[in-house]
Amino acid sequence: MPLAPSVEVVVAESSYLRIVADLRSFAASSPPGTRLPANRELVERYRASPVTIQQATSALVREGLVVARPGRGTFVAQDRDPVGRGSDSGWQALPLGSAMPLTEGLEQLVTLARPGTVSLSSGYLDEQLQPRALLGAALARAGRRPGAWGRLPIEGLEELRALFAAEVGDGLRAHNVLITSGGQASLSASFRALTRPGQAVVVESPTYVGAIAAAHASGLRLIPVPTDAEGVRPDLLAEAVKGSGARLIYCQPRYANPTGSLMSPERRQELMEVATSAGAFVIEDDWVMGLDLEGPSPPPLASDDPDGHVIYLRSLTKSLAPGLRVGALIARGPVLSRLRSLRAVDDFFVAPSLQETALQVIGSPAWPKHLKGVIRELRIRRDALSAAVVRLWPDAETFLIPKGGLHMWVRIPDGLNDVHFAEEAALSGVSINPGRDWFPADPVGSYLRLSYAGADASALTQAVAQLAVLLRTAASVAR
């Protein structure tokens, strides 16, 4: 049975809610077992991204209207309405209103790739690099410990807090640390604690898409400052802080996501001078601490911050596994009380069993061995990816070869649309991130974020070769 004629019309601005409503209507009016149109057909029909189509069909799966059968397609469910009453949730469009601004990039980031897809978009280690045996044993021990299923102070497990504090610098102690459920939770709490809606926050450009989404969700105005291979440009940073009146700067000194830049010691000093002069806080997002691929990087800004300008964010998900949602907020001074209060509002405390697991892992002799093995493999993957891009994408420009972290930032010819290219890549079985989602303002060109964390060297090389064909096709069409 075809979809209703009204949805046969290609509408460029079709929204997620419209797609869900149309597919819901199709499922309700079709016999059980009817196959939904293929994702490629729906992408073309709605001019939507594959991620949006996948989210729409997943919504129908959750409602029980359709059933996904890997390798075969998505089908109308046999028992769609067990109570014999039709449902219509279309009314929700009015109270929901328009979509939250700038969340599509974050939605794409957290959406799982389809089975069989080669992932050059993952911000986490793939299962091959995760220490599953170490994690499993630690979780089993943690679950048997007294108090593992009880309550903890809002601040978190003291032994774990002490370990996080010791990583950063000698002047920090357990009382400076709050345990959080990962880096994104730390970001959200920090933005809300340090600002009020309508205020400005100065950010690197490009910058982490999750920070962009969290800042917008807090009602903040983003003031972008360009970066280069050494990080944020201090001359423009001072100008942006002064001109906007911002009292908050967000930055990633260590292997910034997405560019991979490592802030030089001179830039770090200049950044802190700007913050001190303006009486501003600095959120230091040290999202990938421990994953230096070419020798040690400079210590965190927070290690030498006696006056408490720096709010330091640390997460274990990047160096261990995405399911271990444990991170830390580290700060000095009265701001700790405000952060603590917000943490209580959000979720009271992180599950003791997870905190115990994290403590068991990073306090284990196996922890440095794990990091050493991950670094060795990531170096191999980075070298394979960068070599393949240089060899097979002659018209592309690599921002830099990162000395750590998980990503490369690549510029493709400006005549090509990075979003459309990413959509074509997804349809061909390769997942990449279009660059424009990582710009807090208008993008300065067409970029792609390529990750070497989610596939091995051979798969990365093959994926780049596959994308090279798409690039040549797209370039010929653009001419």
Side-chain angles (χ1 to χ4, degrees):
M1 178 182 294
L3 290 172
S6 63
V7 299
E8 295 290 337
V9 179
V10 176
V11 183
E13 65 272 14
S14 293
S15 68
Y16 164 79
L17 290 175
R18 172 67 187 278
I19 297 171
V20 170
D22 288 343
L23 294 179
R24 187 184 290 119
S25 177
F26 170 71
S29 61
S30 302
T34 302
R35 189 180 187 277
L36 267 64
N39 281 2
R40 182 187 292 269
E41 180 182 342
L42 293 174
V43 165
E44 295 174 353
R45 176 174 296 158
Y46 290 102
R47 292 185 182 175
S49 72
V51 172
T52 300
I53 297 300
Q54 182 177 340
Q55 291 170 348
T57 55
S58 295
L60 267 64
V61 170
R62 291 193 296 271
E63 293 176 13
L65 292 176
V66 300
V67 177
R69 298 171 183 165
R72 298 176 58 191
T74 305
F75 300 84
V76 175
Q78 295 293 326
D79 188 7
R80 293 161 293 171
D81 189 16
V83 298
R85 178 177 62 81
S87 62
D88 178 13
S89 58
W91 65 270
Q92 295 181 3
L94 187 60
L96 285 174
S98 59
M100 290 181 63
L102 294 179
T103 57
E104 185 174 349
L106 186 61
E107 287 284 346
Q108 183 185 38
L109 196 66
V110 299
T111 298
L112 296 177
R114 291 177 299 175
T117 298
V118 179
S119 177
L120 276 69
S121 61
S122 176
Y124 301 102
L125 303 179
D126 63 7
E127 288 197 353
Q128 179 184 341
L129 295 181
Q130 296 169 16
R132 288 177 289 173
L134 176 62
L135 285 167
L139 181 59
R141 289 193 301 271
R144 294 192 298 267
R145 288 177 65 89
W149 304 102
R151 294 177 55 184
L152 282 177
I154 293 171
E155 295 85 356
L157 194 65
E158 184 170 3
E159 297 93 328
L160 181 60
R161 290 156 50 209
L163 280 179
F164 280 131
E167 280 186 332
V168 178
D170 292 338
L172 292 163
R173 299 292 183 267
H175 68 264
N176 295 111
V177 182
L178 299 174
I179 301 300
T180 70
S181 55
Q184 194 65 30
S186 298
L187 262 180
S188 179
S190 297
F191 281 136
R192 288 180 287 125
L194 303 172
T195 60
R196 294 189 301 273
Q199 290 185 326
V201 55
V202 173
V203 299
E204 302 157 316
S205 182
T207 193
Y208 171 48
V209 67
I212 295 174
H216 275 279
S218 298
L220 305 182
R221 293 184 294 116
L222 276 73
I223 310 299
V225 178
T227 59
D228 58 24
E230 292 184 52
V232 67
R233 292 177 52 184
D235 55 333
L236 299 179
L237 175 66
E239 182 180 335
V241 171
K242 182 178 180 180
S244 66
R247 293 298 184 91
L248 180 61
I249 301 167
Y250 168 79
C251 65
Q252 306 166 87
R254 198 192 313 266
Y255 313 126
N257 183 3
T259 64
S261 64
L262 176 64
M263 192 177 292
S264 66
E266 294 77 19
R267 291 277 179 95
R268 292 166 185 251
Q269 181 178 345
E270 289 173 301
L271 184 153
M272 291 305 299
E273 288 172 355
V274 170
T276 301
S277 176
F281 283 105
V282 176
I283 296 178
E284 180 181 12
D285 189 351
D286 202 0
W287 66 284
V288 75
M289 184 182 190
L291 295 183
D292 298 303
L293 306 187
E294 301 293 344
S297 52
L301 300 174
S303 66
D304 185 19
D305 175 44
D307 297 330
H309 286 276
V310 178
I311 311 298
Y312 179 83
L313 278 56
R314 167 83 161 96
S315 173
L316 292 176
T317 58
K318 304 300 183 182
S319 54
L320 274 171
L324 190 66
R325 305 300 302 173
V326 174
L329 271 170
I330 302 179
R332 297 174 171 93
V335 70
L336 268 170
S337 295
R338 185 173 295 186
L339 289 166
R340 180 184 183 278
S341 297
L342 273 170
R343 289 290 306 128
V345 169
D346 284 346
D347 56 11
F348 291 162
F349 55 85
V350 177
S353 56
L354 281 182
Q355 295 193 49
E356 288 279 4
T357 300
L359 178 63
Q360 293 274 341
V361 170
I362 66 176
S364 164
W367 172 239
K369 181 180 178 181
H370 160 70
L371 284 180
K372 185 176 180 180
V374 167
I375 289 169
R376 181 172 57 249
E377 176 61 22
L378 287 178
R379 189 184 299 120
I380 293 171
R381 295 182 181 192
R382 178 206 60 185
D383 292 348
L385 178 62
S386 60
V389 168
V390 169
R391 185 175 73 254
L392 299 173
W393 296 7
D395 296 328
E397 178 184 347
T398 301
F399 182 75
L400 54 80
I401 306 300
K403 296 181 179 180
L406 306 175
H407 313 296
M408 284 179 55
W409 188 237
V410 178
R411 184 167 187 165
I412 57 177
D414 288 342
L416 304 182
N417 185 299
D418 54 314
V419 173
H420 293 167
F421 182 74
E423 291 170 355
E424 288 298 317
L427 292 174
S428 72
V430 179
S431 174
I432 57 177
N433 294 120
R436 71 183 55 200
D437 293 330
W438 306 79
F439 285 94
D442 293 331
V444 296
S446 292
Y447 287 85
L448 303 174
R449 190 192 77 153
L450 306 179
S451 169
Y452 43 87
D456 62 25
S458 175
L460 291 171
T461 301
Q462 293 175 20
V464 170
Q466 187 172 335
L467 294 177
V469 176
L470 294 181
L471 274 174
R472 289 194 294 269
T473 302
S476 64
V477 170
R479 296 192 191 101

